[in-house]
């Protein structure tokens, strides 16, 4: 059967447009949830613990959604039912979040919001792999990066823009400022509207047609090995338990509890699965994890070092810039808050540069290929983070954000383009969900060890966390060279027309 037909620019636009709404929700969450927690009485030291919800929900939800979306086909299609359900739940969470009366209610709503966003987001990654031929996948994932950048810039600036329009930015006693409330309401409308646009304006290949187009190798048998699971479970549980006792006995940094608890929890999960009567979803996901394609194992290291760097940047940029570039550590001073506001501008800037980079990246891929393009982009990001050590005028840090923007756009696009070329259509969703492990694990590791590294080796100077992040991006780029980049699929040689779109009926 001829290869999968190419889609037009506007068909790809429509299928990626929902990501604008999803990123709107994520950006509002990232920029304002800590503010909501503090307003409701959270201590600053407790905020990282409250934020653990974000990576953990992605770790749990995405493989589950991917597993079931691979097996779904109904009137809405394969992936679109999950887009719609996740958008409805996220919209409700966005409405209720700024109206939370108590801290524990807000913390619970963060879990619900993040889980709901993940329900929509994970199938979007698989959707591009389903719909596009290999040669168009870099464009599809770059289009997603473009919408991520645009959504992040607008959503991050929304409370500031509402303040300029005269909306109250002062929190009443025990409440949330109107600027935050209206920003969340607007975000809910944008998120639901953008996802609904994709649901109504796109269609999907039915399973039999998708299978006929599939050119990736058939998945290996991924049966769950009880004996191996039991052995690995014992090892991980013992390591995690020993780590917990050492941290408690030697009064080590409490952040290390997260690392030890993760190892212990993984061990217990493996032991439970080894004893349970299974063959269901958890065992299948773990079986797929251990039988993942070789290219996915190689890309795991690319993602690991990239997301370690990103989390270091998100955690420590404010502390680094205010201390080094504004010369203060007094969080109540006007100078500190001026520096913190400038960090907000820098973050909006790198998302804006990422949107522009998403336009350039497909052209880079055509000229030098996926791997070399990603290497160049993440090295630009590494140079950008390391340049924080050298630049003293904070306004010149905007130049650093150009490199970070290119890296961010590339990280959100090219690893998925490389991965999707190696995945069978029947397991596109679950493997995209499992791939999220290699985004979450480095974030949890960074949250656990970066503070200890800074204390032990860098005299608690947060600027060095950005330097470590820059070095990590350079390593990520080198790891990209290990990934096999398949030649353009055979169908690239055969002319196809955009009119040969998916044959499923639009509903």
């Amino acid at each position: 059967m001829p290869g999968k037909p190419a889609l037009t620019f506007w068909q790809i636009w429509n299928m990626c447009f929902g990501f604008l709404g999803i990123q709107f929700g994520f950006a509002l969450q990232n920029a304002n949830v800590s503010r909501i927690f503090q307003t409701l009485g959270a201590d600053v030291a407790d905020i990282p613990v409250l934020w653990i919800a974000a990576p953990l929900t992605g770790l749990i939800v995405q493989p589950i959604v991917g597993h079931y979306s691979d097996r779904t086909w109904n009137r809405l299609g394969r992936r679109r039912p999950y887009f719609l359900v996740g958008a409805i739940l996220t919209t409700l969470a966005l409405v209720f979040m700024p109206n939370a009366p108590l801290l524990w209610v807000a913390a619970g709503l963060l879990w619900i919001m993040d889980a709901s966003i993940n329900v929509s987001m994970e199938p979007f990654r698989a959707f591009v792999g389903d719909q596009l031929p290999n040669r168009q996948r870099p464009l599809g994932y770059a289009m997603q990066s473009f919408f991520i950048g645009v959504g992040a810039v607008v959503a991050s600036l929304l409370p500031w823009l509402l303040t300029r329009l005269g909306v109250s930015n002062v929190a009443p006693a025990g409440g949330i400022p109107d600027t935050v409330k209206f920003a969340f309401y607007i975000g809910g409308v944008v998120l639901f509207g953008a996802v609904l646009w994709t649901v109504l304006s796109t269609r999907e290949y039915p399973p039999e047609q998708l299978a006929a187009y599939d050119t990736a190798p058939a998945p290996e048998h991924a049966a769950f090995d009880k004996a191996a699971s039991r052995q690995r479970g014992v090892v991980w549980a013992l390591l995690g338990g020993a780590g917990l006792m050492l941290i408690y006995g030697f009064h080590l940094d409490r952040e290390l509890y997260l690392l030890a608890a993760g190892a212990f929890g993984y061990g217990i999960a493996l032991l439970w699965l080894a004893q349970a009567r299974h063959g269901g979803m958890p065992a299948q996901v773990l079986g797929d994890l251990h039988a993942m394609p070789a290219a996915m194992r190689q890309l795991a290291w690319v993602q690991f070092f990239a997301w370690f760097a990103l989390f270091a940047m998100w955690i420590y940029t404010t502390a680094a810039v205010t201390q080094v570039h504004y010369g203060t550590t007094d969080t109540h001073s006007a100078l500190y808050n001026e520096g913190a506001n400038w960090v907000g501008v820098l973050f909006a800037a790198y998302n804006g540069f990422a949107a522009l980079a998403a336009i350039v990246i497909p052209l880079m891929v055509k000229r030098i290929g996926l791997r070399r393009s990603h290497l160049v982009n993440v090295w630009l990001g590494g140079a950008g983070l390391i340049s924080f050590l050298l630049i003293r005028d904070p306004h010149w840090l905007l130049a650093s954000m150009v490199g970070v923007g290119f890296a961010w756009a590339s990280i959100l696009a090219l690893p998925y383009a490389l991965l999707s070329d190696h995945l069978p259509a029947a397991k596109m969703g679950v493997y995209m969900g499992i791939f999220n492990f290699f985004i979450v694990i480095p974030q949890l590791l960074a949250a656990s060890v970066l503070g200890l590294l800074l204390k032990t080796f860098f005299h608690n100077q947060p600027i060095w966390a950005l330097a470590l992040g820059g070095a990590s991006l350079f390593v990520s780029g080198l790891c990209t060279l290990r990934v096999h980049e398949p030649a353009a699929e055979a169908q690239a040689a055969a002319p196809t027309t955009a009119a040969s779109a998916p044959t499923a009926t639009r509903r």
Side-chain angles (χ1 to χ4, degrees):
M1 183 175 182
K4 200 179 294 179
L7 302 187
T8 67
F9 174 85
W10 291 111
Q11 286 174 314
I12 299 173
W13 175 283
N14 288 338
M15 65 185 286
C16 296
F17 188 72
F19 237 101
L20 173 70
I22 292 172
Q23 187 57 39
F24 227 87
F26 260 131
L28 286 171
Q29 171 184 295
N30 291 340
N32 296 286
V33 166
S34 292
R35 180 179 183 178
I36 292 172
F37 285 160
Q38 286 185 276
T39 303
L40 295 175
D43 188 87
V44 173
D46 295 329
I47 287 178
V49 176
L50 294 169
W51 264 106
I52 288 175
L56 284 182
T57 50
L59 187 71
I60 296 167
V61 170
Q62 289 208 22
I64 295 173
V65 171
H67 173 85
Y68 284 114
S69 70
D70 283 339
R71 291 158 174 76
T72 296
W73 182 256
N74 58 32
R75 294 182 63 188
L76 276 178
R78 191 184 195 194
R79 312 294 182 188
R80 290 178 297 161
Y82 297 89
F83 300 167
L84 189 58
V85 170
I88 292 171
L89 294 175
T90 306
T91 299
L92 293 174
L94 285 167
V95 171
F96 286 114
M97 183 74 180
N99 294 292
L102 300 168
L103 178 60
W104 68 267
V105 176
L109 285 168
L110 175 60
W111 283 83
I112 294 171
M113 184 190 306
D114 207 271
S116 302
I117 291 175
N118 276 287
V119 169
S120 282
M121 184 178 69
E122 194 284 333
F124 262 101
R125 297 294 192 190
F127 193 46
V128 170
D130 289 345
Q131 301 299 103
L132 294 179
N134 289 13
R135 68 184 183 277
Q136 284 194 310
R137 285 172 180 171
L139 174 60
Y141 289 116
M143 186 81 75
Q144 287 188 351
S145 294
F146 171 78
F147 285 125
I148 287 170
V150 172
V153 171
V154 177
S156 298
L157 294 176
L158 201 51
W160 179 84
L161 292 172
L162 290 170
T163 302
R164 296 299 181 273
L165 293 174
V167 179
S168 174
N169 194 42
V170 179
I176 306 299
D178 286 343
T179 51
V180 176
K181 286 186 177 181
F182 286 119
F184 272 62
Y185 300 157
I186 293 169
V189 172
V190 171
L191 186 147
F192 183 75
V195 172
L196 187 63
W197 178 274
T198 291
V199 170
L200 296 178
S201 66
T202 59
R203 48 189 179 175
E204 299 185 66
Y205 293 109
E208 61 276 8
Q209 189 175 2
L210 192 62
Y213 284 139
D214 192 11
T215 58
E220 298 177 15
H221 180 63
F224 190 75
D225 188 332
K226 287 188 175 185
S229 174
R230 189 177 297 109
Q231 292 172 359
R232 287 193 296 266
V234 169
V235 171
W236 280 104
L238 288 175
L239 287 174
L244 290 170
M245 289 188 290
L246 287 172
I247 295 164
Y248 178 79
F250 288 94
H251 306 288
L252 302 178
D253 286 359
R254 63 179 183 176
E255 289 83 0
L256 294 174
Y257 279 114
L258 179 61
L259 194 62
F264 182 76
Y266 179 59
I268 294 300
L270 289 175
L271 289 172
W272 175 79
L273 286 169
Q275 299 300 322
R277 291 184 178 181
H278 53 71
M281 182 273 298
Q284 290 180 34
V285 169
L286 279 174
D288 290 329
L289 172 65
H290 292 292
M292 73 176 75
M296 187 169 172
R297 295 180 186 275
Q298 295 162 353
L299 281 165
W301 292 105
V302 176
Q303 292 291 80
F304 179 89
F305 288 107
W307 285 88
F308 185 92
L310 291 171
F311 206 66
M313 178 183 72
W314 293 333
I315 292 176
Y316 286 106
T317 299
T318 297
V321 169
T322 52
Q323 182 182 85
V324 173
H325 301 88
Y326 283 81
T328 182
T329 58
D330 181 2
T331 58
H332 298 289
S333 68
L335 195 59
Y336 177 92
N337 285 287
E338 181 184 346
N341 287 345
W342 183 244
V343 170
V345 173
L346 294 176
F347 277 28
Y350 88 73
N351 279 290
F353 292 132
L356 297 175
I359 300 171
V360 177
I361 285 173
L363 303 176
M364 294 178 63
V365 171
K366 285 184 179 180
R367 180 169 291 274
I368 62 174
L370 287 165
R371 293 183 307 169
R372 291 193 181 112
S373 296
H374 192 58
L375 180 145
V376 169
N377 290 327
V378 295
W379 278 14
L380 286 173
L385 289 181
I386 291 174
S387 71
F388 276 66
L389 288 170
L390 307 174
I391 294 172
R392 286 297 175 264
D393 184 343
H395 294 89
W396 278 102
L397 293 176
L398 285 170
S400 304
M401 292 295 102
V402 175
V404 173
F406 268 81
W408 178 231
S410 194
I411 289 165
L412 294 173
L414 297 191
Y416 294 96
L418 280 164
L419 175 65
S420 62
D421 289 348
H422 295 275
L423 298 183
K427 290 185 176 290
M428 184 72 71
V430 69
Y431 274 129
M432 285 293 182
I434 290 172
F435 199 50
N436 190 58
F437 289 175
F438 312 119
I439 293 174
V440 172
I441 291 170
Q443 293 182 61
L444 296 177
L445 180 66
S448 300
V449 305
L450 271 174
L452 181 62
L453 289 174
L454 292 182
K455 183 187 300 182
T456 305
F457 299 107
F458 300 107
H459 307 290
N460 278 326
Q461 300 294 311
I463 193 74
W464 288 101
L466 303 186
L468 289 173
S472 189
L473 283 175
F474 278 101
V475 175
S476 176
L478 291 175
C479 290
T480 306
L481 297 177
R482 299 179 59 244
V483 182
H484 172 63
E485 182 175 355
E489 59 186 287
Q491 69 183 50
T496 57
T497 63
S500 304
T503 59
T505 303
R506 183 183 298 178
R507 294 180 174 92

